[in-house]
């Protein structure tokens, strides 16, 4: 069974750095694109970016390019989403999600979400 | 980067059918047969309903169907059930430089 287990909720202050994680299991981690989706409180879904772990090919939405960094540690089947300097506007739930097999888009598997709260 | 355009709300009675539209441009929906639809119940994780415009993952009831014409995609929910009450999001591939873009979401109320 494919599972994506995300790290727990975070409470940070503006200007601080943060790295949240997403551990994949039940499948060959390196062979599937894994992405991140933001959902601000009471708002819609926003596609942030995606990475192919086997070769670290990363693609970012223009809205998030330069604002976050996606990475993976294939030895522990874990993906990361990182900020160098958080802003209050980064307060949101962040989901990691895996594409279906052979898919161009369409996240068929989702983590449980990580709530990030940033105070100013 | 503009999101795809969805109506903010839709409604129907149990047993009825409802169609939710998703309008993009010739650079996204109009260019690719890569449209997905997600259902998100309150407080829950999004769930993939439709991919590649018309395909359903295993386990998704055939009451859910997708279509596309030009720059507009549609999700039809036939025979509404109370548990269909949720937010529905469309998404489309927008090229390698933009990736996947989402619609703003439609809140479906089953009256």
């Amino acid at each position: 069974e494919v599972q994506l287990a995300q790290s727990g909720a975070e409470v940070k202050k503006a200007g601080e750095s943060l790295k949240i994680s997403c551990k994949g299991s039940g499948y060959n981690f390196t062979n599937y694109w894994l992405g991140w989706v933001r959902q601000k409180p009471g708002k819609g879904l926003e596609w942030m970016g995606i990475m192919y772990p086997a070769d670290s090919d990363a693609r970012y939405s223009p809205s998030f390019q330069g604002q976050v960094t996606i990475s993976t540690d294939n030895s522990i089947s874990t993906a990361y989403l990182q900020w160098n300097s958080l802003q209050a506007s980064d307060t949101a739930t962040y989901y990691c999600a895996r594409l279906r097999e052979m898919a161009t888009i369409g996240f068929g598997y989702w983590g449980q979400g990580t709530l990030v709260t940033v105070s100013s | 980067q503009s999101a795809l355009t969805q109506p903010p709300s839709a409604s129907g009675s149990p047993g009825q059918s409802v169609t939710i539209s998703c309008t993009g441009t010739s650079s996204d929906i109009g260019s690719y047969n890569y449209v997905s639809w997600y259902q998100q119940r309150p407080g829950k994780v999004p769930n993939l309903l439709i991919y590649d415009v018309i395909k359903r993952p295993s386990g998704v009831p055939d009451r859910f169907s997708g279509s596309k014409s030009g720059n507009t995609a549609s999700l039809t929910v036939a025979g509404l059930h109370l548990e269909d009450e949720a937010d529905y999001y469309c998404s489309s591939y927008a090229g390698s430089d933009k990736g996947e873009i989402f619609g703003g979401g439609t809140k479906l109320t089953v009256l």
Side-chain angles (χ1 to χ4, degrees):
Chain A
E1 179 190 6
V2 174
Q3 292 189 337
L4 299 171
Q6 297 187 229
S7 49
E10 301 274 0
V11 179
K12 307 291 282 186
K13 294 183 179 179
E16 293 185 330
S17 63
L18 176 64
K19 194 174 189 178
I20 62 176
S21 67
C22 168
K23 182 175 176 61
S25 61
Y27 71 99
N28 189 333
F29 180 78
T30 58
N31 287 5
Y32 293 86
W33 289 87
L34 198 148
W36 292 90
V37 175
R38 182 174 78 176
Q39 187 168 38
K40 291 187 173 184
K43 302 298 183 181
L45 305 174
E46 299 174 90
W47 190 90
M48 301 177 70
I50 201 164
M51 175 172 275
Y52 190 66
D55 59 9
S56 298
D57 183 6
R59 316 282 177 85
Y60 294 89
S61 161
S63 299
F64 292 93
Q65 180 79 50
Q67 308 306 308
V68 297
T69 301
I70 296 171
S71 61
T72 64
D73 183 340
N74 295 344
S75 68
I76 54 173
S77 301
T78 299
Y80 301 97
L81 180 66
Q82 181 176 359
W83 294 260
N84 289 333
S85 180
L86 287 161
Q87 303 175 28
S89 58
D90 293 320
T91 294
T93 295
Y94 293 87
Y95 295 101
C96 67
R98 200 207 84 177
L99 287 186
R100 294 178 49 260
E101 188 169 2
M102 304 294 289
T104 298
I105 67 164
F107 291 120
Y109 303 92
W110 293 70
Q112 81 274 22
T114 295
L115 176 61
V116 174
T117 303
V118 184
S119 63
S120 54
Chain B
Q1 183 176 2
S2 300
L4 306 174
T5 300
Q6 298 181 234
S9 63
S11 64
S13 299
Q16 289 186 332
S17 294
V18 65
T19 297
I20 298 170
S21 64
C22 171
T23 302
T25 70
S26 57
S27 298
D28 38 70
I29 292 177
S31 286
Y32 306 99
N33 288 321
Y34 296 126
V35 175
S36 296
W37 289 90
Y38 299 87
Q39 177 192 64
Q40 187 178 32
R41 294 191 171 105
K44 300 298 185 182
V45 174
N47 179 50
L48 182 66
L49 290 177
I50 299 287
Y51 66 97
D52 294 352
V53 181
I54 61 171
K55 299 176 182 178
R56 281 187 309 276
S58 60
V60 174
D62 60 6
R63 303 187 293 106
F64 295 92
S65 62
S67 62
K68 188 188 91 165
S69 177
N71 297 338
T72 299
S74 299
L75 172 73
T76 297
V77 186
L80 278 171
H81 293 185
L82 291 175
E83 61 262 31
D84 296 334
E85 190 159 289
D87 293 325
Y88 291 83
Y89 296 91
C90 63
S91 75
S92 173
Y93 185 60
S96 60
D97 58 339
K98 294 183 179 179
E100 182 173 353
I101 56 174
F102 283 100
T106 298
K107 182 177 181 61
L108 174 62
T109 300
V110 181
L111 304 169

